Amino acid sequence: MRAEWTKLRTATETVWLVVGIVAATVGVGLVVVLNVACSAEVCAGDPTKTGLTGVQLGQAVVAILAVLAVGGEYSTGMIHGTLAAMPRRTGVLAAKAVVVTAVTVPVATVAVAVAALAGRHFLPADASWPSVLRATGGSVLYLTLIGLLALGVATVVRNAASAVGVVLALLFLFPILAAAAPDPAWERHLLQAGPMTAGLAVQATTGLDTLPIGPWAGLAVTAAWAVGALLVAVITLEVRDA
């Protein structure tokens, strides 16, 4: 784990990606909030969710960070040295998952907290604090799960660029298909199954009865995608040559 932490910490891209997570999450959220007209004492709609809009871009940067944690080693051939030093391949993947989580959680916490506070400042809301805390805390968990999903995909694909493409396709394909679905029932099922559309339901603080899936159930769907990707990654690591 110390070796994995050293590799990720000393990579030049890591610092820029960490800054990118915060900048994307806060910047996009702030732009969206500032372009929402609200002259009332309490804004209509879901101001908390509006302030967290930047999570949709921040997740892409989180995915790139997680992909580089393993994809970079395959591109340089360093993975051979890693597995020679640590033959227990599941342990290697577990260490990478812990390190990616350790980086993602505090960065996501800062980014989401600032974005949520900005949203509350510029768009006063009548939402209860438990629902706001659920939206912000759930967003941090969501970004962490996206990082683990990307780590699993990168381990299976073994190519950083291809892995990023696969992760982004998984995130954005389901809402595109849902928008093109001719049947409302199919649209709802697609939104319930997508890792992004289901997971981001946790950000809603109003109109929960109109969501295709509940907040925590939606986050559980994202968790299932992440666990599934990591399980496939474990299997491929054990059965394939490095």
Side-chain angles (χ1 to χ4, degrees):
M1 194 174 297
R2 183 189 302 172
E4 293 301 330
W5 168 245
T6 301
K7 285 185 284 188
L8 187 62
R9 176 178 57 82
T10 56
T12 306
E13 301 88 345
T14 300
V15 175
W16 292 108
L17 290 171
V18 166
V19 173
I21 293 170
V22 178
T25 304
V26 176
V28 173
L30 193 59
V31 169
V32 173
V33 165
L34 292 176
N35 282 275
V36 174
C38 177
S39 57
E41 184 177 347
V42 175
C43 297
D46 194 338
T48 301
K49 184 177 181 179
T50 302
L52 296 173
T53 304
V55 170
Q56 298 184 36
L57 181 59
Q59 66 182 345
V61 189
V62 170
I64 295 172
L65 175 65
V67 164
L68 290 180
V70 61
E73 289 196 71
Y74 276 107
S75 63
T76 60
M78 189 187 295
I79 190 67
H80 298 286
T82 298
L83 296 180
M86 179 64 176
R88 290 175 294 180
R89 299 185 174 191
T90 302
V92 172
L93 183 60
K96 290 182 180 294
V98 171
V99 170
V100 168
T101 301
V103 173
T104 304
V105 169
V107 175
T109 300
V110 172
V112 169
V114 174
L117 289 173
R120 296 280 294 188
H121 175 73
F122 291 104
L123 298 177
D126 192 22
S128 62
W129 276 109
S131 63
V132 173
L133 291 176
R134 187 250 302 149
T136 53
S139 295
V140 174
L141 291 175
Y142 171 80
L143 289 173
T144 304
L145 291 171
I146 294 301
L148 295 176
L149 169 63
L151 180 68
V153 170
T155 305
V156 175
V157 176
R158 295 185 171 189
N159 180 276
S162 299
V164 171
V166 171
V167 173
L168 294 181
L170 287 174
L171 294 177
F172 294 101
L173 180 61
F174 284 88
I176 293 173
L177 294 176
D183 187 351
W186 275 104
E187 177 184 3
R188 185 178 183 86
H189 291 323
L190 287 168
L191 294 176
Q192 291 171 336
M196 182 178 75
T197 50
L200 290 181
V202 78
Q203 294 181 342
T205 60
T206 62
L208 301 185
D209 55 337
T210 63
L211 296 174
I213 190 170
W216 292 119
L219 200 62
V221 171
T222 307
W225 278 93
V227 171
L230 289 174
L231 287 177
V232 175
V234 168
I235 294 171
T236 54
L237 265 180
E238 294 292 344
V239 303
R240 293 192 312 195
D241 293 334

